[in-house]
Amino acid sequence: MSEQLTGGCCCGAVSFSVKDDFKKFFFCHCEQCRKLTGTAHAANLFTLPTNITWTKGEQLTKRFDHPTRAFSRVFCTECGSGLPFLTQNKKFLIVPAGSLDQEPSKEVDANIFCEEQTKWHQAGLQAEKVTGFFQTKK
């Protein structure tokens, strides 16, 4: 039996539980995923549509479907955090990895759309690593 993971938004208004039974895990570097997440790539886990239970605040979610492409995003209307959503064809539940409270057991399968990866992201992977906020020397 799969373990249950919990997740939710940054402000705590929306929460859910999901089975740790993910089929795919991708880092997507396409322009649309960068725009939807506001960062270098989307980190999305794919599972069955029935594997989620909304435990709080589902009515505080809003869905955006791209008008001409198969891109979607669901987010908290209070804080804007990305949340799980059904694909437009309803075949998969996509769970943004950052919305989870625990680490999933699934390892990343692939980085996809790498030809669209930004140069600043590639360079940033080699940047200094610090444990908290970076403090500049005065």
Side-chain angles (χ1 to χ4, degrees):
M1 188 161 112
S2 299
E3 179 183 343
Q4 290 286 117
L5 303 175
T6 59
C9 66
C10 187
C11 73
V14 181
S15 59
F16 61 90
S17 65
V18 63
K19 288 182 186 176
D20 188 13
D21 182 29
F22 299 105
K23 307 304 181 198
K24 295 289 180 186
F25 189 2
F26 297 126
F27 287 176
C28 183
H29 299 273
C30 79
E31 180 182 358
Q32 290 80 16
C33 282
R34 290 195 323 269
K35 293 282 187 182
L36 288 170
T37 63
T39 190
H41 62 78
N44 288 323
L45 294 144
F46 290 67
T47 190
L48 299 174
T50 56
N51 284 349
I52 191 168
T53 302
W54 294 96
T55 54
K56 183 170 123 185
E58 184 180 8
Q59 73 281 5
L60 295 174
T61 64
K62 182 165 176 73
R63 182 182 179 100
F64 167 76
D65 290 322
H66 193 281
T68 61
R69 310 236 3 232
F71 290 97
S72 300
R73 182 170 186 260
V74 168
F75 54 94
C76 171
T77 58
E78 297 297 309
C79 68
S81 297
L83 294 164
F85 62 93
L86 288 178
T87 55
Q88 289 182 24
N89 64 14
K90 300 189 180 354
K91 290 185 178 182
F92 297 100
L93 176 73
I94 297 180
V95 179
S99 70
L100 294 172
D101 297 327
Q102 301 87 23
E103 295 275 338
S105 60
K106 179 81 173 120
E107 297 288 325
V108 175
D109 291 301
N111 282 276
I112 60 176
F113 292 94
C114 290
E115 67 278 1
E116 296 182 43
Q117 186 179 27
T118 62
K119 290 179 182 157
W120 55 262
H121 179 249
Q122 293 170 352
L125 294 173
Q126 307 307 315
E128 179 181 359
K129 293 174 177 42
V130 296
T131 59
F133 282 113
F134 186 77
Q135 301 294 319
T136 58
K137 297 177 185 175
K138 292 186 178 188

